[in-house]
Amino acid sequence: TPPLDVVRRGTNAVLQYLQDLSLGKAPCFFQKIVLVGDQKAGKSSLIESLITSKPSPTSEEERTVGIDVRKWRPKNSKVVAQVYDAAGHKTYHASHRMFMSRDALYLNV
């Protein structure tokens, strides 16, 4: 999907973007980030701190069940990150594979 700023420039810009994309020349400002690690390691606190720009410890009641998906746009950046916060309890490890992809950035917390 072309970025919104490309779409706003019209059909010719979208077609050029798609052609550039097929040749591997189009810039991409989307990043998939997957946070993995043991339970209570601080994965949820890390993403909350990045989003709010302040320390954000997570309470026991707020722990991740399964996978939480959050959007993070760093300040003064064109980049948009889709952050997958994978629950650390061993019960959920088998489901993590469904969210893994070759182009993702994996952070072991």
Side-chain angles (χ1 to χ4, degrees):
T1 303
L4 189 55
D5 63 311
V6 173
V7 174
R8 287 181 181 147
R9 287 185 274 158
T11 304
N12 288 338
V14 171
L15 292 173
Q16 183 64 54
Y17 174 85
L18 294 173
Q19 182 180 15
D20 291 347
L21 187 63
S22 71
L23 299 172
K25 296 180 182 178
C28 178
F29 298 106
F30 177 80
Q31 178 63 55
K32 179 178 179 181
I33 301 173
V34 181
L35 302 178
V36 294
D38 292 336
Q39 62 185 7
K40 299 182 183 178
K43 299 175 296 295
S44 300
S45 297
L46 173 61
I47 186 55
E48 188 64 27
S49 296
L50 289 171
I51 290 170
T52 62
S53 298
K54 61 183 179 182
S56 301
T58 304
S59 70
E60 182 71 25
E61 296 81 36
E62 298 174 304
R63 71 183 187 92
T64 304
V65 176
I67 299 264
D68 282 342
V69 182
R70 307 279 305 272
K71 188 176 282 187
W72 172 48
R73 183 183 300 261
K75 290 182 180 174
N76 302 318
S77 175
K78 291 182 178 183
V79 173
V80 175
Q82 194 81 23
V83 183
Y84 293 74
D85 177 6
H89 194 278
K90 291 181 188 208
T91 305
Y92 301 110
H93 287 186
S95 67
H96 293 172
R97 259 183 261 150
M98 294 186 299
F99 300 92
M100 295 184 171
S101 61
R102 197 178 66 174
D103 295 337
L105 170 66
Y106 294 91
L107 298 177
N108 188 2
V109 178

